[in-house]
Amino acid sequence: MKLSVLDLVPVFPGSSPQQALEQAVLLAQTAESLGYNRYWVAEHHDMEILACSSPEIILSHIGAKTSRIRLGSGAVLLPHYKPVKVAETFNLLATLYPGRIDLGLGRAPGGSAHVSIALSGNFLENIRQLPDTLSVLMKLLANEYELDGQPIMARPIPPVSPEIWMLGTNHKSASYAAEFGTGYVFGHYMSEQNGVEVLRAYRQQFKPSKACSEPSAIVAVSVICADTEAEAVQLAAQSAALFQPHREQQPQQAPVNPQAEEVRSQTNRKVVVGNPGQVRAQLLELREKYEVDEFVVINSIPDYKKRLRSFELLASAVL
């Protein structure tokens, strides 16, 4: 089983965006030393609690401070951007860090309606045009794009092209990944869909491309691991409370002694919670269910040291 990291670069209460970015570097370095396969950064806009508005800049910084771990976006929100700029940016990263760059693509706005309008105008129209945007992006990354009969190259051309992944939580995102021949990451931790059916459809409909010759799937999971189940459950409750609406105006308090079943029920049983042995068992069940060999792990324990400890315990149990 392979493990990877998905970092929202959270700005926890009492910390600053600068501290959050310093912790992102530490998490990536620790993940590399523990044997994690990838470190990905999400993209969100105008959210006080997250410092990840530009994943490509964070990745460039972290690339200089690591040596092996793959680095990627989880995900670049493609409806906001022109494909040429995305291709150039990730080809540049892949030139700086050959064989280490992943381009994860998403369809979400990543923020409020107003910030989406400020960023790229009519988001719904951009979504409607997404198939064309994806088509152009794939051609650019394969060095096959022409405009009015003239070749357009997304320079610099890297020695190894970025791996391309579509991230999503439903059949629509899976259908795009299958149609354009990319890898697919199913967001188990935030989806209400039947993930088994979504991945089955992706695999059945997959069309090989220059980017990906056969279907390749990863499942994104939320994991809270601690030395004891009781501590893990408490941390999971704190993490859930952190992201309740209107946290800034009226902070939510986690229950003092939550029960494991209560926490799993409140999080729609989408969070993997427990001590190292329990977490390993739950991930093995998910691996069999989804027929995948890699999980990308998100963890928002609102304490940087405890969050890092969770990733360390997870690695010791699985890797």
Side-chain angles (χ1 to χ4, degrees):
M1 188 189 304
K2 295 178 182 177
L3 293 178
S4 295
V5 174
L6 174 57
D7 193 359
L8 300 181
V9 196
V11 184
F12 293 136
S15 63
S16 67
Q18 181 180 3
Q19 289 172 312
L21 291 166
E22 291 169 352
Q23 289 296 323
V25 174
L26 178 59
L27 176 56
Q29 292 173 327
T30 302
E32 179 173 77
S33 69
L34 293 172
Y36 282 81
N37 191 37
R38 313 171 197 270
Y39 171 87
W40 285 0
V41 181
E43 177 185 337
H44 293 87
H45 298 280
D46 193 21
M47 297 182 70
E48 185 177 358
I49 196 173
L50 303 178
C52 55
S53 55
S54 183
E56 59 270 29
I57 292 179
I58 300 174
L59 296 175
S60 181
H61 179 63
I62 289 177
K65 295 179 178 294
T66 54
S67 60
R68 176 200 60 80
I69 196 167
R70 296 192 65 90
L71 304 171
S73 53
V76 164
L77 303 179
L78 189 58
H80 289 309
Y81 306 112
K82 294 292 187 181
V84 171
K85 185 59 176 176
V86 174
E88 287 179 337
T89 298
F90 277 79
N91 272 354
L92 179 55
L93 283 170
T95 303
L96 286 169
Y97 308 112
R100 296 179 58 197
I101 299 301
D102 300 328
L103 171 53
L105 302 168
R107 303 185 302 132
S112 69
H114 286 89
V115 75
S116 295
I117 293 170
L119 184 61
S120 62
N122 189 332
F123 186 77
L124 291 179
E125 176 61 20
N126 295 340
I127 284 288
R128 189 185 69 80
Q129 295 179 5
L130 188 58
D132 293 335
T133 305
L134 274 168
S135 178
V136 172
L137 178 61
M138 295 297 291
K139 289 177 182 177
L140 282 163
L141 292 170
N143 304 318
E144 296 176 346
Y145 181 60
E146 292 187 355
L147 182 62
D148 295 333
Q150 295 298 312
I152 304 293
M153 305 292 284
R155 301 185 188 278
I157 307 302
V160 181
S161 295
E163 283 189 9
I164 308 173
W165 297 84
M166 177 66 67
L167 281 70
T169 59
N170 53 43
H171 284 277
K172 191 66 174 179
S173 54
S175 69
Y176 282 139
E179 179 182 355
F180 290 98
T182 75
Y184 182 61
V185 183
F186 176 70
H188 166 86
Y189 73 97
M190 60 185 296
S191 177
E192 300 298 324
Q193 301 289 311
N194 185 324
V196 173
E197 292 182 0
V198 172
L199 286 178
R200 182 183 299 120
Y202 160 69
R203 291 172 175 129
Q204 291 175 345
Q205 298 167 14
F206 182 85
K207 298 176 182 178
S209 70
K210 282 192 174 181
C212 195
S213 61
E214 59 186 23
S216 182
I218 299 173
V219 172
V221 293
S222 175
V223 179
I224 307 292
C225 188
D227 290 285
T228 66
E229 180 185 24
E231 182 185 2
V233 169
Q234 180 67 51
L235 292 173
Q238 293 172 2
S239 178
L242 183 70
F243 287 93
Q244 292 298 314
H246 312 301
R247 180 186 65 85
E248 294 84 2
Q249 289 76 25
Q250 198 168 27
Q252 301 292 314
Q253 296 297 318
V256 177
N257 293 304
Q259 298 300 307
E261 288 307 307
E262 287 181 307
V263 170
R264 294 191 177 101
S265 176
Q266 291 167 1
T267 56
N268 200 25
R269 296 182 178 271
K270 294 297 184 181
V271 61
V272 175
V273 181
N275 61 41
Q278 292 169 324
V279 165
R280 175 182 171 83
Q282 292 174 66
L283 289 178
L284 288 174
E285 288 180 8
L286 287 175
R287 181 176 71 170
E288 184 175 352
K289 174 183 177 180
Y290 285 122
E291 299 181 31
V292 297
D293 63 5
E294 183 171 356
F295 294 101
V296 59
V297 176
I298 185 171
N299 176 328
S300 297
I301 295 172
D303 179 296
Y304 292 119
K305 289 184 178 180
K306 292 179 180 178
R307 182 178 71 145
L308 201 63
R309 175 64 174 164
S310 181
F311 279 109
E312 291 171 344
L313 291 171
L314 176 59
S316 68
V318 175
L319 297 178

